């Protein structure tokens, strides 16, 4: 019960953020993430494509491409309730998919065994990343 209240409080706080606040927070997350040694060493990174007022992963992706990283994103199959993974090479290759979230127009199947880092969206984390 308490977890549900905390979760809803966090959602309300995120919804209340202005576009400028989301951009500032996204820039802070991007700078911090790109400073992580495991990310620096990674060759292939899987990330979600941001939607709504989530941190802007598109800017993260663009910067990772500049560092010659391969990017993998999830594709949702609503009917089967499954996710698959696809490489992307450009944001121009994207279109709105399930739930209105950008997904690749053309699937370039990715093997999860070749992914070095996975960026996972979350509403709140403890100091240890849990």
């Amino acid at each position: 019960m308490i977890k549900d209240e905390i979760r809803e409080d966090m959602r309300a706080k995120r919804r209340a953020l202005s576009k400028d606040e989301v951009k500032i927070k996204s820039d802070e997350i991007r700078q911090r993430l790109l400073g992580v040694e495991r990310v620096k060493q990674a060759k292939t990174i899987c990330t979600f494509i941001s939607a709504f007022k989530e941190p802007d992963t598109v800017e993260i992706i663009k910067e990772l491409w500049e560092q010659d990283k391969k990017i993998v994103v999830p594709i949702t199959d609503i009917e089967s309730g499954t996710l698959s993974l696809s490489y992307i090479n450009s944001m121009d290759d994207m279109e709105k998919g399930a739930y209105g979230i950008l997904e690749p127009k053309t699937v370039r199947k990715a093997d999860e065994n070749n992914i070095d880092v996975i960026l996972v969206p979350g509403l709140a984390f403890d100091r240890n990343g849990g």
Side-chain angles (χ1 to χ4, degrees), residues 46 72-77 82-86 103-104 107 109-110:
C46 179
V72 174
V73 297
I75 300 171
T76 304
D77 184 331
T82 61
L83 290 176
S84 59
L85 300 173
S86 176
E103 294 182 349
V107 177
K109 188 166 174 49

Side-chain angles (χ1 to χ4, degrees), residues 38-68:
R38 180 166 260 166
V39 172
K40 289 179 183 178
Q41 293 178 4
K43 293 178 182 169
T44 303
I45 297 175
C46 179
T47 182
F48 64 102
I49 300 292
S50 52
F52 318 108
K53 289 191 175 179
E54 291 175 325
D56 184 0
T57 57
V58 172
E59 291 305 315
I60 292 170
I61 291 167
K62 288 177 181 177
E63 196 153 338
L64 291 170
W65 276 328
E66 288 175 10
Q67 298 174 15
D68 293 325

